[in-house]
Amino acid sequence: MNTPALVPDNVLIVEDEPKIARLVADYLEGSGFTTHHLDHGDAVLPWLSDRSTHPELILLDLMLPGTDGLTLCREIRQRWPRIAIIMLTARVEEVDRLLGLELGADDYICKPFSPREVVARSRAVLRRSRAADAAEAPVPDTLSLDEEGWRALADGQDLGLTAVEFQLLRVMMHSPGRIFSREQLMDHMYRDHRIVSERTVDSHIKKLRKKIAEVWPEREVIRSVYGVGYKYQPEE
């Protein structure tokens, strides 16, 4: 199942008081946002499920007819975790604020509020959400190492390397462009100085190249240097 794309600057207002919903919508739209409005808790999940795109942000009233805001917050966070959520409520007790945040809300605004505050808080939440998405998104054409997890990631995809393959790649990636002889690579592969043939290095290099090629079929980042050894060369 494809994950619906988020539409920038789109906001879903879930509020059963028409005057409040209209006031918030007017201020948001005046600040460049596109808004949608639902006034019943039971309508929210079907509305989201039926759409091929989703709003970036939901302004979610706590007290709604039908399904309440806290239940909706939990369901939305579980099913569509990338949607930002700001809870709107007349309740001011600390337990309600903490419960809303623990269920996945990104922020909490208590009524009565200034519509300008809603606009400002919406912008702040979206900035944080976009920054988090950008940090998690794999950078195209990037080969990276997860040193703690002993993994190599090409465009964010785990290459599934063995420990020896990871060691080989790590040694070469830490010194891009440097030519390593087979003997030098063997020293890094086997710290117990066991006796292995140079063909063992060639075999591991072949497997490593194959795994990289499964993600990057047209790129060769591990180069052979005839009569000397191998090097990691990410660019021409």
Side-chain angles (χ1 to χ4, degrees):
M1 180 179 179
N2 293 329
T3 301
L6 300 187
V7 181
D9 297 326
N10 266 240
V11 180
L12 170 62
I13 302 168
V14 185
E15 168 63 64
D16 63 322
E17 297 185 40
K19 290 183 179 180
I20 293 178
R22 186 66 260 166
L23 181 63
V24 171
D26 286 344
Y27 271 81
L28 286 170
E29 290 172 4
S31 299
F33 291 90
T34 299
T35 67
H36 313 270
H37 175 229
L38 297 174
D39 60 5
H40 199 287
D42 291 346
V44 177
L45 297 181
W47 188 88
L48 291 170
S49 298
D50 290 342
R51 296 177 66 86
S52 60
T53 60
H54 282 162
E56 272 194 301
L57 171 66
I58 297 177
L59 300 179
L60 183 59
D61 188 25
L62 181 64
M63 300 297 293
L64 291 166
T67 309
D68 65 87
L70 290 178
T71 300
L72 287 171
C73 181
R74 180 178 60 247
E75 289 293 323
I76 292 167
R77 183 56 70 231
Q78 290 176 348
R79 296 169 63 176
W80 302 289
R82 294 179 60 220
I83 300 177
I85 301 172
I86 296 178
M87 302 292 294
L88 306 176
T89 181
R91 294 185 183 179
V92 295
E93 293 86 350
E94 182 179 13
V95 65
D96 290 321
R97 294 198 297 272
L98 292 176
L99 183 57
L101 293 173
E102 287 175 0
L103 289 176
D106 297 280
D107 203 352
Y108 209 101
I109 303 177
C110 290
K111 301 177 182 178
F113 50 72
S114 162
R116 291 186 177 88
E117 178 188 6
V118 175
V119 173
R121 300 280 277 273
S122 296
R123 285 174 170 163
V125 164
L126 288 177
R127 280 197 299 270
R128 293 196 300 268
S129 179
R130 290 165 181 170
D133 285 347
E136 293 178 2
V139 179
D141 293 333
T142 297
L143 183 62
S144 60
L145 298 177
D146 173 7
E147 302 270 0
E148 294 184 359
W150 280 62
R151 300 185 306 156
L153 307 172
D155 294 345
Q157 181 176 331
D158 190 348
L159 295 179
L161 303 185
T162 65
V164 170
E165 291 164 355
F166 179 83
Q167 282 276 55
L168 276 174
L169 183 59
R170 180 171 63 176
V171 169
M172 290 187 286
M173 284 187 67
H174 282 182
S175 301
R178 175 185 169 183
I179 302 171
F180 289 87
S181 68
R182 290 173 175 81
E183 183 177 6
Q184 289 172 325
L185 292 174
M186 280 191 289
D187 288 341
H188 288 284
M189 289 162 54
Y190 303 107
R191 297 305 180 95
D192 57 359
H193 302 293
R194 70 182 73 176
I195 298 175
V196 295
S197 70
E198 292 187 348
R199 291 185 178 276
T200 301
V201 175
D202 295 337
S203 176
H204 286 300
I205 290 289
K206 182 179 180 181
K207 293 176 182 177
L208 179 57
R209 281 173 164 166
K210 182 179 179 181
K211 291 179 179 180
I212 295 174
E214 290 176 356
V215 180
W216 289 344
E218 298 180 358
R219 296 186 61 185
E220 183 182 2
V221 295
I222 299 177
R223 313 287 179 85
S224 300
V225 181
Y226 183 74
V228 183
Y230 298 97
K231 66 178 179 177
Y232 174 76
Q233 191 71 48
E235 298 177 356
E236 292 290 347

